Structures are given as structure tokens and as C-alpha cells.
Amino acid sequence: MKLYTFSGAPNPRRVTLFAAEKGIDLTLVEVDLRGGETRTPTFRTKNPSGKIPVLELEDGTCLAESVAICRYLEAQVPEPNLFGTTPLATAQIEAVHRQLELELFAHIGAAWVNGPIVAAAGLVKPIEAQRARGEALAHQFYDRLETTLSDQPYMAGERFTVADISALCLIEFAGALVKLAPKPELTAIAAWHGRITARPSVQAEKR
């Protein structure tokens, strides 16, 4: 299977870490995102939205959207389970995962899109009020995560799940490219980060 990706982008990284946790080998195909490759007619036959990641199966079928791809991989290789094994656990993990996407990723995205890197690329006209609002709301969410992780070791409870993969990718992207890392005094988040980055799937990225 081929994964169309771009180094440093959080959504393709979600898939590569998920696959690594499953022991699934993917052939990574680097896309020229800055050069506009995802907007070409050829790429849009793989994903009409013109976004990455895209997973291309052996028969040429293409799957878009990182969570959809991860669900496909989970169905193909059920263990170790990362989306939940019971109706209750599945719903609880899904709720946390959606909150991360809608209440953290959206705010990080607003700060990113309206920040200096995207502005310098001339992709959009930045709106300072939206950047500031996204930054403030992201920090509010970090405060909430600090409370959660003070009571439990992982995002969705007592075990590692897809929610931890997404949170890691989002938070590290925010710290590296948006200058929006959690504040140092949020020690429960820092401890969680240490647990996640110690996992073999994350350590393998450094090799």
C-alpha cells in the first residue's frame, strides 16, 4: 500500500504512526505540497479534495482522510486495538477523538492559517484576530487536558488509543510550526508526552 504524504504534516503522520503501531508496512510517497501537486488533475483523481494523506491500495483504490484510513487499517489488522473493543469503549474513544479534532485542531489550524508562515507563502490574507483567538482557545483546551491527564494516563482513559496518536501529532505540530506548545507548567501533559514519545512507533521515526 502507498501512502501519499508530506513530511511535517500532522495528518499523514497520524496514519504512519497508526500503521507502525499495527506493524503495517506502508510505502511512503512524498508529495510536492508547496509546489501544488495536490491541486493537479492527476492527484485529484486520487482525492478530489486535493488533500493528503491518501492511501492507495494494491488494486488502485484510493482512500482519503486520516481517520478513515486508520479505520480501514484497524479493520485489516484488528490487534492491537486502537479504536475500542466494546460499544462503550468505542464511543468513549470516539468522543475524545472528536473533541481533539474539533476543539484543539480547529484552533491550532486557525492560528496556523493566520500566522506568519502561511502569510509569507502568500496562500491567504491573514486575519490577526482569528490567529489570536485560535491561540487563546488552544491554550484553554490545553488547560482542560491538564486536568484530564492528571486523573488518567492517556487521552481516552487507561490505555493508549488512536486519540493519543492524534493528540501527539497535533500538539507537536503546534509547538514546531505555530509556536503553540502547551505551557511548561502543564506537567501532566508533559508526563503524557513522555509516555507517548517513548513508544517504539515514535522512536522509530528518529532512526
Side-chain angles (χ1 to χ4, degrees), residues 18-19 21-22 24 67-85 90 93 159 161-162 165:
F18 192 94
E21 290 284 339
K22 296 282 188 179
I24 299 172
V67 177
I69 294 169
C70 289
R71 287 194 177 279
Y72 173 81
L73 297 178
E74 174 106 327
Q76 293 295 312
V77 182
E79 297 296 334
N81 172 271
L82 296 173
F83 274 101
T85 56
T90 300
I93 293 166
R159 73 177 184 91
T161 69
V162 65
I165 293 174

Side-chain angles (χ1 to χ4, degrees), residues 16 20 22 47 71 73 75 108 142 158 167 170 183 188 195:
T16 57
K22 296 282 188 179
N47 181 9
R71 287 194 177 279
L73 297 178
I108 290 170
Y142 287 152
E158 297 300 316
L170 302 180
K183 295 175 182 177
R195 285 191 291 274

Side-chain angles (χ1 to χ4, degrees), residues 14-15 64-72 83 94 97 101 166:
R14 288 206 262 186
V15 177
E65 300 298 333
S66 57
V67 177
I69 294 169
C70 289
R71 287 194 177 279
Y72 173 81
F83 274 101
E94 181 72 12
H97 201 198
E101 289 194 312
S166 290

